[in-house]
Amino acid sequence: MDVEALRTFVAVAETGRFQAAADELGISQQAASKRIAALERHLGIALLVRTARGSRLSPDGQVFLPHARNVLTALTQAEEAVRPDNRPLRVDVLNRRIAPAQAVYRLYRSHSAMKLATVTLSTRNAAQAAQAVLDRSIDASFRALPAGQVPAGLRAERFLEAPLELLVGPAHPLADAPRIRLADLAGHRIWIPGIRPGTEWAAFYQALSAAFGLSIDALGPHFGDEALMDALADSAALATLVGSGDRYRWPRTHDLRRIPLHEPTPVYPHVLLSRSGDQHPVLTELRDHLRVSGPRTPDDAWLPGRVAR
């Protein structure tokens, strides 16, 4: 069924004249008559009765009119729902504790009326998240995607490079250090449970371990961040790595220590993936926010060379 014919029928029904309806729609009277005639042929009924004074609804037209209006209203609502100015920007932040989620949250707090929706595609790797952006199931994703794997049609921007810090309990031999050289972590057990093979963060930690001779393992089940904090507090040997912008909470009695790393500073590159040419206004605001408020990349930063630039 032709939507423009429905629109013309409703206009004629409301104005009572073909010429008035045609003027409202910006078409000729002849075009309006042809649309109505085609609609009546499609339905097999007469919708309008032509009179010397104009047109009035037939009995079938009176029944059909509210349904035609409902169809046009539903169409308008569907169009508005997908217009960039009206629908929320859907952003994958991977994990609600880490730097991308915190950056998006700060943007939302400064613009509480902003149309923004966050998701955590934590079970998908970078390639799968990129495909979700291409498929339009989401609008953007923060991922450390290798430069050669950015699909055509996507824009990759390094706005958020988070320096890593060592997190240890009070009994750890490095607990009182103001900062630590990355090479000095060799020989210490760095436990990062929950690293899934085939993910970009697994590749990042493999590259970091190989480059500096670190002992990074993901052995054992991951019972959640709270259980990890408990294990660190009770251990004189365990340590883990967290982003400087990551948000973790633990009981005051744990007395955990976050210690900056340097010479070099390992940096996890959260690359913002979005569709090329996407003009969603919130996406533009997010880019501007990250440019201004994102962490400064340290002068001695270490990043895997394979990450998109």
Side-chain angles (χ1 to χ4, degrees), residues 259-279:
I259 307 170
L261 300 171
H262 71 121
E263 293 184 3
T265 300
V267 170
Y268 192 91
H270 297 284
V271 177
L272 179 65
L273 302 176
S274 61
R275 289 182 296 278
S276 301
D278 191 337
Q279 299 298 314

Side-chain angles (χ1 to χ4, degrees), residues 164-308:
L164 297 187
E165 297 175 333
L166 190 72
L167 183 64
V168 297
H172 194 280
L174 299 175
D176 295 324
R179 58 181 187 162
I180 300 170
R181 292 174 62 248
L182 190 56
D184 292 339
L185 293 183
H188 291 277
R189 183 189 175 198
I190 302 172
W191 188 41
I192 308 179
I195 298 177
R196 291 193 301 106
T199 59
E200 66 270 26
W201 53 94
F204 173 86
Y205 286 119
Q206 287 169 0
L208 181 65
S209 178
F212 298 97
L214 305 185
S215 176
I216 298 176
D217 73 61
L219 298 176
H222 184 34
F223 291 106
D225 295 325
E226 288 75 13
L228 175 60
M229 303 299 115
D230 293 343
L232 292 172
D234 293 337
S235 174
L238 285 182
T240 195
L241 295 173
V242 296
S244 60
D246 297 356
R247 186 177 183 181
Y248 292 93
R249 293 181 178 273
W250 53 79
R252 186 185 299 272
T253 54
H254 278 13
D255 193 22
L256 300 186
R257 320 287 175 83
R258 298 180 72 141
I259 307 170
L261 300 171
H262 71 121
E263 293 184 3
T265 300
V267 170
Y268 192 91
H270 297 284
V271 177
L272 179 65
L273 302 176
S274 61
R275 289 182 296 278
S276 301
D278 191 337
Q279 299 298 314
H280 196 296
V282 178
L283 181 58
T284 299
E285 290 193 54
L286 177 58
R287 288 194 182 103
D288 292 343
H289 173 74
L290 292 172
R291 287 190 186 99
V292 172
S293 65
R296 186 184 68 83
T297 302
D299 294 335
D300 66 341
W302 176 88
L303 300 94
R306 57 200 288 275
V307 175

Side-chain angles (χ1 to χ4, degrees), residues 118-168:
T118 59
V119 297
T120 55
L121 303 183
S122 56
T123 61
R124 303 190 193 182
N125 61 26
Q128 292 166 332
Q131 189 59 48
V133 177
L134 283 173
D135 293 343
R136 298 179 180 270
S137 57
I138 57 174
D139 298 302
S141 179
F142 287 93
R143 298 290 170 143
L145 190 66
Q149 295 180 19
V150 178
L154 285 193
R155 179 178 180 179
E157 301 166 282
R158 272 174 47 183
F159 283 131
L160 192 58
E161 298 183 341
L164 297 187
E165 297 175 333
L166 190 72
L167 183 64
V168 297

Side-chain angles (χ1 to χ4, degrees), residues 1-8 71-72 75:
M1 187 177 296
D2 187 348
V3 172
E4 294 307 318
L6 280 182
R7 210 181 305 278
T8 304
V71 169
L72 294 177
L75 179 62

